[in-house]
Amino acid sequence: MKLARHIANLGYGTRREVLAMFADARITDVAGARLYADDVAPHASIRIDGEALDAPPGFVAMLHKPVGHTCSLRDAGRLVHDLLPPRWRRRKPLVSMVGRLDRDTSGLLLLTDDGQLLHRIISPRAGVAKTYQVQLARDLRGDEAPLFASGRLMLESETTPLAPADLEVLAPREARLTIREGRYHQVRRMFAATGNHVEALHRSAVGRLTLGELAPGAWRLLDADEIARIFDG
Ligand code: URA
């Protein structure tokens, strides 16, 4: 693809704005040699004002979503999008969140511009594991693990039972829950179905991918090994 289009698709500006950047000689190769709008060059070799470009198309990133940010573009209040580079909103293909987390849920949120990969991750058939740390308002009753594992739990206003989920009790009011589907407010509703209430919810892993040292509010790109880890476990 010609450079003017490639750079415009990365969200650096309209085609006209990008052409103006070429005219101002702001776009160069790694050695500082001027590049032109109709050139074709490897993504990694392009610099704008001496800076490397944002991630190439087909990227996957993870964000450590803090509590209080909404996964929507339009809500009043703090948005997940405010934590991401503004340029990403103008990229083609679009950058999408892979599923959502509630405003009051923190943890691992994936983002990608790769539509096929997004569908592979959220497809119920893929059954990608999502692991949550759960703090509860009341002590666990003791029968939650077999109930969640049974594949027979029916949530209110649903017509099909939940797929088996794996509950590990960590303390009387603390548990780790792994689910393989993504129904609306699923974890909160599962505990509500047992007469409990989720006080704090944190997604700690997707497949075998974890946040590691990523601080709340921070994001980073994933490499191929990390992307493969999403489908493990
Ligand atoms: N389940 C919930 O209830 N909320 C989330 O954000 C994710 C899973």
Side-chain angles (χ1 to χ4, degrees), residues 10 33 41 44 52-53 79 90 112 119 138 143 155 175 179 181 188 197 202:
L10 294 174
L53 295 182
L79 305 179
R90 299 190 294 264
T112 186
H119 284 110
R138 289 177 271 285
D143 64 343
L155 295 179
I179 60 176
E181 45 192 350
R188 293 176 198 277
H197 175 74
H202 175 81

Side-chain angles (χ1 to χ4, degrees), residues 1-207:
M1 188 186 297
K2 298 204 169 145
L3 284 183
R5 169 170 298 219
H6 180 60
I7 290 170
N9 285 353
L10 294 174
Y12 283 86
T14 60
R15 196 176 151 73
R16 209 174 159 158
E17 287 163 344
V18 171
L19 289 177
M21 293 162 86
F22 278 101
D24 292 342
R26 293 172 57 195
I27 301 176
T28 64
D29 67 12
V30 270
R34 186 169 173 180
L35 292 171
Y36 294 87
D38 285 341
D39 286 347
V40 174
H43 180 92
S45 71
I46 305 162
R47 297 289 178 272
I48 300 182
D49 299 329
E51 301 271 325
L53 295 182
D54 290 347
F59 78 93
V60 185
M62 68 173 168
L63 168 76
H64 186 160
K65 179 194 170 300
V67 167
H69 283 71
T70 310
C71 287
S72 140
L73 266 180
R74 272 177 283 281
D75 263 38
R78 287 172 287 171
L79 305 179
V80 160
H81 283 271
D82 299 336
L83 302 168
L84 302 169
R87 266 202 294 272
W88 284 14
R89 293 191 201 188
R90 299 190 294 264
R91 280 179 71 119
K92 279 191 221 140
L94 283 174
V95 179
S96 303
M97 290 176 226
V98 182
R100 298 195 164 202
L101 292 175
D102 303 337
R103 194 190 57 182
D104 295 328
T105 302
S106 59
L108 201 169
L109 184 66
L110 294 169
L111 299 132
T112 186
D113 63 346
D114 181 336
Q116 277 191 348
L117 185 71
L118 183 148
H119 284 110
R120 247 183 91 206
I121 300 172
I122 62 173
S123 143
R125 246 184 297 142
V128 166
K130 282 148 290 197
T131 301
Y132 295 86
Q133 303 293 130
V134 191
Q135 296 283 348
L136 296 158
R138 289 177 271 285
D139 286 2
L140 288 151
R141 300 189 308 210
D143 64 343
E144 291 89 347
L147 177 65
F148 292 172
S150 69
R152 286 195 300 273
L153 178 60
M154 188 79 93
L155 295 179
E156 220 177 283
S157 73
E158 300 251 343
T159 52
T160 52
L162 293 179
D166 184 27
L167 183 77
E168 203 181 325
V169 175
L170 305 172
R173 295 183 183 190
E174 198 184 329
R176 186 179 297 126
L177 177 65
T178 300
I179 60 176
R180 292 177 180 278
E181 45 192 350
R183 303 201 200 184
Y184 181 67
H185 289 177
Q186 183 170 336
V187 176
R188 293 176 198 277
R189 289 164 72 213
M190 286 172 78
F191 284 99
T194 70
N196 215 323
H197 175 74
V198 171
E199 293 220 304
L201 188 58
H202 175 81
R203 181 150 77 191
S204 52
V206 176

